[in-house]
Amino acid sequence: QVQLAESGGGLVQAGGSLRLSCAASGRSISSYAMGWIRQAPGKEREFVAAINYAGNTYYAGFVKGRFTISRDNAKNRVYLQLNSLKPEDTAVYYCAADSGPYYTRRAYKLDDFRSWGQGTQVTVSS
């Protein structure tokens, strides 16, 4: 079982940027798709972005070029660069690993992810 730990959240003004990091331990994540999911206050969790083992990336429609997911397999880490942040991006951001290795998916659902971190809070002020 992989353990995931997010960091990099914080308070930022609208239009600002943050870089979230997800450190994995317990096993290599190089063969797993990794995702970022967020949960805003009073709302359900929603998919943000994913990157599969081959480096292909997937984004939710609301990202619209503002966020970039990447991975560094040598460091066993995944990143989410958040740019042009809006108050509606305020949420807890979770890192998660796909349920199995070398899966290729056309799209990602929350149920596709089995291992989750504890989350990191992102707050965007207007």
Side-chain angles (χ1 to χ4, degrees), residues 12-83:
V12 64
Q13 289 188 331
S17 299
L18 284 172
R19 189 193 193 203
L20 307 184
S21 178
C22 172
S25 60
R27 62 164 166 78
S28 170
I29 59 171
S30 62
S31 60
Y32 288 76
M34 300 295 296
W36 287 94
I37 295 92
R38 71 183 187 183
Q39 186 168 22
K43 296 187 177 181
E44 295 187 351
R45 291 187 179 184
E46 62 179 350
F47 171 80
V48 177
I51 183 168
N52 70 9
Y53 69 94
N56 298 311
T57 57
Y58 308 80
Y59 295 97
F62 62 80
V63 169
K64 294 182 180 178
R66 300 183 299 127
F67 301 170
T68 303
I69 189 170
S70 61
R71 65 191 305 157
D72 185 335
N73 289 333
K75 295 182 177 180
N76 224 27
R77 284 180 176 262
V78 179
Y79 304 96
L80 186 67
Q81 177 68 41
L82 309 173
N83 295 330

